[in-house]
Amino acid sequence: MKVEQLYTALKKSQEAKGIYFNKDKDLVFELLESLILNKERYGYMACPCRLACGDREKDKDIICPCDYRAPDLEEFGACFCGLYTSRKLHNNEMESHYIPERRPPEKIF
């Protein structure tokens, strides 16, 4: 799959849920390229901003969209890696903030 195809598919499905790509399209395309690379490498699209171990079961919390996206969007307006933003942040109704790592330390390899 090419980056443009993934972008188009995810943009449509996520915007229907009120979730948007970051306005920095260069960043978005870099992250999508990394997701595609991780899909080739591991067989699943592990978050490009976290270290995957290659074991789907151990990495299931960081398969994009990761388990931490929803609380990150709710609290900070963006996910940890910055790929996705909330409607509020997208519409400039809130300011962006530093997003801390929510993944438990014992899951970080």
Side-chain angles (χ1 to χ4, degrees), residues 17-35:
K17 300 173 188 175
I19 298 169
Y20 298 85
F21 279 132
N22 192 309
K23 290 180 181 180
D24 182 345
K25 201 167 181 179
D26 290 337
L27 172 68
V28 169
F29 272 58
E30 284 180 34
L31 292 169
L32 292 177
E33 286 174 6
S34 295
L35 284 172

Side-chain angles (χ1 to χ4, degrees), residues 89-109:
L89 187 60
H90 180 77
N91 292 334
N92 298 316
E93 296 169 6
M94 72 180 293
E95 291 183 26
S96 62
H97 297 279
Y98 167 78
I99 299 120
E101 172 64 274
R102 289 182 189 268
R103 193 173 199 213
E106 63 272 10
K107 289 193 167 200
I108 299 172
F109 303 102

Side-chain angles (χ1 to χ4, degrees), residues 22-99:
N22 192 309
K23 290 180 181 180
D24 182 345
K25 201 167 181 179
D26 290 337
L27 172 68
V28 169
F29 272 58
E30 284 180 34
L31 292 169
L32 292 177
E33 286 174 6
S34 295
L35 284 172
I36 292 168
L37 179 63
N38 282 345
K39 171 81 171 167
E40 293 168 0
R41 187 180 288 155
Y42 305 118
Y44 51 89
M45 290 195 292
C47 176
C49 299
R50 294 182 168 105
L51 193 56
C53 71
D55 180 325
R56 186 181 190 93
E57 186 60 30
K58 290 179 181 177
D59 288 339
K60 69 181 181 182
D61 63 319
I62 60 167
I63 295 174
C64 190
C66 73
D67 291 351
Y68 314 105
R69 181 181 76 168
D72 284 352
L73 292 178
E74 180 68 29
E75 188 172 351
F76 302 106
C79 65
F80 179 70
C81 65
L83 179 61
Y84 292 110
T85 64
S86 68
R87 184 184 316 264
K88 285 184 180 180
L89 187 60
H90 180 77
N91 292 334
N92 298 316
E93 296 169 6
M94 72 180 293
E95 291 183 26
S96 62
H97 297 279
Y98 167 78
I99 299 120

